[in-house]
Each structure stands twice: as structure tokens, then as C-alpha cells.
Amino acid sequence: MSLLRTDFDFVRELVRKRTGIVLDERQSYLADSRLGPIARQLGIEDMAELVRRSRLSPEGNEARSLVEAMTTNETSFFRDLHPFETLRTQILPELMEKRRSEKRINIWCAACSTGQEPYSIAMMLHEHFGGLSDWRFQITATDISTPVLERAREGLFNQLEAGRGLPAVLLVKHFQREGAQWRIKSNFRSAIDWRHLNLVEAWPSFPMFDVIFIRNVLIYFSPETRKSIVDRLARQLRRDGSVFLGSSESLIGVTDSLTGVQVGRSTVFRHHQSEK
């Protein structure tokens, strides 16, 4: 059963107010596919009743669950590959040369979903920089959805998820089989600082970051919200730091706080050189 147009319009407006994410009026199919399972999970009769309760109590548990269900959580290990290669072969070596006295690098994965991106970075650091015992690589991973973040903390993936982008050698080396699923080893789970964060609300106290991954996220926001988020990212980024967006994303016409620079096969976004 599909949502009524008036109900979907309410869902769109609630999601926009809470998250800044703009749902197209043609995306009602997303509500039809995602809200039914949430209603059943909450013991609610159907999607229409879930929406009715959310109207009555916009700050309640039903409304929160509705909003979280409508956020996109598409991800995979080493997605697109080249950003991780650029990070490994060029960005990190350059930063490490500059941070010789500090011996610390802070990396932020914004909108981390179920954790494949921060785990990919953690595995890459272990494989290629693991011998540097006097260095500290801190990965902070954030997401708007509490259930999704809990899944990420658990580090448990089904066969399909484990097979998407993850080399077999890393699966065997860094994961343990649990029935039909795979759990990443505890040293990786504990190495990541998992935090709940809504990008359009107040941010907690963060360190200044050397690298920020916020890939395939900004496309879901209005131009005004994109500008606001990127300007805040720029203030959280060290002067020689780099931001990775999705391969099809650009900041042209969005803001001039960061500018695109080609590094290897990737375009990264940095402070203007004149601002150093």
C-alpha cells in the first residue's frame, strides 16, 4: 500500500527540517519501501499510522525513526578505490612529512553509514602504516542514524556486504566468520571513534582534521544547505588538509571556501593556497 500524497508531503517536510535532505516529490517509492519495515518494527499497523503518530508528536520516537529510515545508507568497502589509493600514496605521505613533530593525523568520515568507509581506511592504515608505532592515526566516524551507527560499531556484515569491494585477502585476514556473517576484528572496531551527528545541527567538539571524507552526501541537500555544511567543514579542516567528495560531486557554484585540486586520480578539496 502506497502513502497518500499528503502523507508523503509531510514526510518530505519533516526530513527537510530535521536533516536538510531534500526528497524529490517523485521519490515516494522510497517511503513505500522503507517505512513499512519501520512501522512493523515499532509494532504499528501500517505506514499511514506511522505518519499519523509522527504528525501528532514530531519530536517523538516514531518521527525520529521515520526520519532515520529515509536517509540513504548506500555504501561499500573501498568504494571507487582511487580515493583510498590517493590517500595512501600521496595525501598521507605528504601530511606525515609535515607532521613529523606531532606524529598525529586526524581523519573524519562524515555520514559513515554502516561503517565500510572508516573500516576501509583503518585496514589500509594497518596494512601500509602499521609499523609506525610512534604515530597516532585517529579516525572519527559520524552518522545521523543511531541504528545504522550501532550496526557500524558492531562491525558485522553479511556475505553480500562483505563481498562488495573487499579483497578476499583482507576478508580472511581481518574478519572472523560468525555463521553466515563476517565480523571485523576488535582492534579495528575499537580504533574508531563512533559519534552520532546531524550535519545541519550543532556539531560536538571536534579536533581539527587533516582529512575529511564526506562522499556522496552533499548531493542530497539544497544548495543553501550544501554551502553551509561545506563552510563548516572548511573551518574544521587544517590549512593543509584535504576533503574527499563523491566522484561526481563538485563545489563549483556552491562555495569558495574550498577549491578542487587534482591529486593522482582523485579531486580533493583544499583551502586556497593564498590562505596558507
Side-chain angles (χ1 to χ4, degrees):
M1 180 179 176
S2 297
L3 278 181
L4 296 174
R5 175 60 181 269
T6 53
D7 283 346
F8 181 58
D9 287 343
F10 167 79
V11 169
R12 291 175 63 208
E13 183 62 13
L14 183 64
V15 171
R16 185 193 65 78
K17 286 181 177 179
R18 293 289 183 83
T19 71
I21 294 173
V22 178
L23 296 174
D24 190 279
E25 61 183 13
R26 294 168 295 183
Q27 290 181 298
S28 60
Y29 64 90
L30 288 176
D32 293 341
S33 64
R34 295 180 182 180
L35 297 187
I38 294 300
R40 289 191 293 273
Q41 181 180 323
L42 295 174
I44 297 173
E45 181 180 351
D46 55 27
M47 293 185 293
E49 177 62 15
L50 174 62
V51 172
R52 188 187 74 82
R53 295 190 188 188
S54 299
R55 286 181 188 273
L56 292 174
S57 181
E59 301 299 324
N61 182 56
E62 291 88 352
R64 178 186 57 78
S65 297
L66 183 154
V67 170
E68 291 182 347
M70 292 304 298
T71 59
T72 298
N73 296 302
E74 172 64 21
T75 187
S76 62
F77 288 100
F78 297 99
R79 187 174 182 179
D80 299 328
L81 190 57
H82 66 82
F84 302 93
E85 286 297 304
T86 298
L87 179 65
R88 177 179 67 85
T89 61
Q90 293 181 261
I91 301 294
L92 285 179
E94 291 172 5
L95 284 172
M96 291 173 72
E97 180 66 24
K98 297 174 181 177
R99 305 284 190 270
R100 281 179 295 177
S101 62
E102 302 174 38
K103 295 190 181 301
R104 180 186 178 100
I105 290 178
N106 294 317
I107 301 172
W108 178 18
C109 293
C112 68
S113 187
T114 45
Q116 284 91 327
E117 181 177 86
Y119 284 134
S120 295
I121 295 173
M123 284 186 283
M124 180 271 292
L125 291 172
H126 180 88
E127 290 293 311
H128 298 281
F129 301 92
L132 304 173
S133 59
D134 55 340
W135 276 81
R136 178 169 172 76
F137 297 94
Q138 177 61 55
I139 303 173
T140 301
T142 65
D143 200 86
I144 189 175
S145 172
T146 302
V148 163
L149 204 57
E150 286 302 317
R151 276 202 61 203
R153 282 194 185 99
E154 286 295 311
L156 188 64
F157 302 94
N158 62 37
Q159 189 67 53
L160 178 61
E161 292 167 332
R164 293 189 64 193
L166 183 63
V169 64
L170 296 184
L171 177 63
V172 172
K173 186 175 182 179
H174 298 311
F175 289 72
Q176 295 172 325
R177 191 74 179 256
E178 294 190 7
Q181 297 181 300
W182 295 86
R183 190 186 300 275
I184 195 165
K185 291 182 178 178
S186 60
N187 59 305
F188 293 105
R189 301 198 303 274
S190 61
I192 298 169
D193 180 18
W194 306 97
R195 300 198 199 184
H196 178 270
L197 176 68
N198 185 333
L199 287 168
V200 302
E201 294 181 351
W203 293 5
S205 176
F206 278 141
M208 294 295 288
F209 290 105
D210 302 287
V211 179
I212 299 175
F213 274 62
I214 183 166
R215 305 185 62 229
N216 307 296
V217 177
L218 298 176
I219 54 175
Y220 297 105
F221 297 102
S222 68
E224 296 80 9
T225 303
R226 278 200 295 272
K227 181 182 186 318
S228 174
I229 292 173
V230 173
D231 289 346
R232 294 170 80 184
L233 290 173
R235 293 193 292 272
Q236 204 66 53
L237 182 72
R238 294 186 68 167
R239 282 299 175 192
D240 53 358
S242 299
V243 175
F244 286 84
L245 302 183
S247 56
S248 63
E249 294 178 299
S250 170
L251 297 182
I252 296 175
V254 176
T255 180
D256 59 2
S257 60
L258 298 173
T259 187
V261 178
Q262 192 70 27
V263 181
R265 294 179 54 209
S266 302
T267 298
V268 300
F269 294 83
R270 293 173 169 169
H271 292 286
H272 293 285
Q273 294 298 309
S274 60
E275 297 181 352
K276 277 189 171 183

